[in-house]
Amino acid sequence: MIPRLRRRCGHAPGTISPEDQAVVDEFRAMLTALRNPKPWTPGTGSARDIAVRVGPFVERAHTRPGDGHGPDHIAVTVIHPDTPYAAAYLHGRQLCDAERDWLRCPTTSIVGFWQPGYRQLTHAANGLLLPDDIGMAPAHYALYIEARKRDDCHDGHTLLRLGPYTQTRHAQQDRDRLTAALDGRETTLLSGYRITMRFGPLCVSDHQLFTDPYGTDVVALLNAAVADVRG
């Protein structure tokens, strides 16, 4: 399905008006873009915007450099087709902090690098706001440090939730620091428990339970969490 395009009645007889010529030029640019997509593949550069499918529409998106969440997804923020910078317009509003709207975009939804000809296929060009759900989960990540019973049962509790991480490499760096700090102490810090870590998506609905890892000593946070449990 192709979104409804703007139509203008031609002015006849005589030379086509500048307004009608602009509509014709836009339509030709759209056809050229559809017939000649500029292929995108992982690793082909993050400085250029890409075109992604959102239902029957095509939207402009900015990629997040350094995100390495596997080959099937990349982190993007959807932007207005007329702006060269990543000012998110999800839900029809501009946000001061665009990083709040980073999304996990399936690479199968990527049409290719953005071309101006795609503009007519966007929600904005058709007078529509983006829907609340555009089919992409938030691209924020977290580290979960948990204390599990050593008798292999599932009883236990979460000591510390670190997040949001906007790039997986940042989470991996903190995971490496915590792993080094726990080396040989996983089963001794809390009697009867083993301290474990897991990496996963941030649970947005529980955001108040997470500790911001940026600009803090994550090892000190872990030690404080263990001390609280010990009483």
Side-chain angles (χ1 to χ4, degrees):
M1 174 181 175
I2 296 179
R4 177 178 57 84
L5 302 177
R6 293 175 297 168
R7 294 179 174 85
R8 289 180 57 88
C9 295
H11 297 276
T15 305
I16 187 171
S17 71
E19 293 84 0
D20 287 340
Q21 185 62 57
V23 172
V24 170
D25 291 342
E26 279 189 327
F27 185 73
R28 287 175 174 168
M30 181 192 69
L31 291 180
T32 299
L34 290 173
R35 291 169 179 169
N36 302 282
K38 298 178 180 178
W40 177 94
T41 57
T44 53
S46 58
R48 298 171 60 187
D49 291 339
I50 61 174
V52 298
R53 296 185 189 89
V54 177
F57 296 85
V58 174
E59 295 295 335
R60 186 176 182 176
H62 191 76
T63 60
R64 183 165 68 199
D67 194 271
H69 198 61
D72 299 327
H73 292 82
I74 64 168
V76 304
T77 188
V78 178
I79 63 175
H80 194 281
D82 296 332
T83 183
Y85 49 87
Y89 78 116
L90 286 174
H91 316 307
R93 67 183 188 279
Q94 297 235 344
L95 302 177
C96 295
D97 182 4
E99 290 219 350
R100 293 180 182 175
D101 283 304
W102 289 110
L103 303 168
R104 295 184 67 233
C105 174
T107 53
T108 53
S109 296
I110 299 174
V111 177
F113 283 113
W114 174 261
Q115 300 182 58
Y118 292 131
R119 184 189 180 281
Q120 289 194 65
L121 303 177
T122 64
H123 283 78
N126 287 269
L128 302 171
L129 300 180
L130 286 174
D132 290 340
D133 182 5
I134 65 172
M136 300 181 197
H140 287 161
Y141 316 110
L143 285 178
Y144 300 84
I145 296 88
E146 301 169 331
R148 297 295 177 187
K149 287 283 191 177
R150 292 172 60 186
D151 58 7
D152 293 329
C153 71
H154 295 291
D155 291 342
H157 53 272
T158 302
L159 292 174
L160 185 63
R161 297 174 176 86
L162 295 174
Y165 290 96
T166 57
Q167 295 188 13
T168 54
R169 64 185 178 89
H170 293 162
Q172 185 61 53
Q173 289 169 355
D174 278 355
R175 185 174 185 172
D176 291 344
R177 294 188 189 101
L178 292 168
T179 298
L182 285 171
D183 187 26
R185 305 168 63 206
E186 297 93 337
T187 59
T188 60
L189 280 176
L190 288 176
S191 179
Y193 289 87
R194 177 185 297 276
I195 307 299
T196 62
M197 278 186 296
R198 63 182 176 88
F199 168 81
L202 179 79
C203 183
V204 178
S205 62
D206 293 334
H207 65 90
Q208 72 279 1
L209 301 177
F210 290 82
T211 300
D212 187 349
Y214 291 99
T216 60
D217 183 343
V218 293
V219 175
L221 291 175
L222 172 62
N223 292 335
V226 171
D228 286 344
V229 173
R230 287 175 173 171

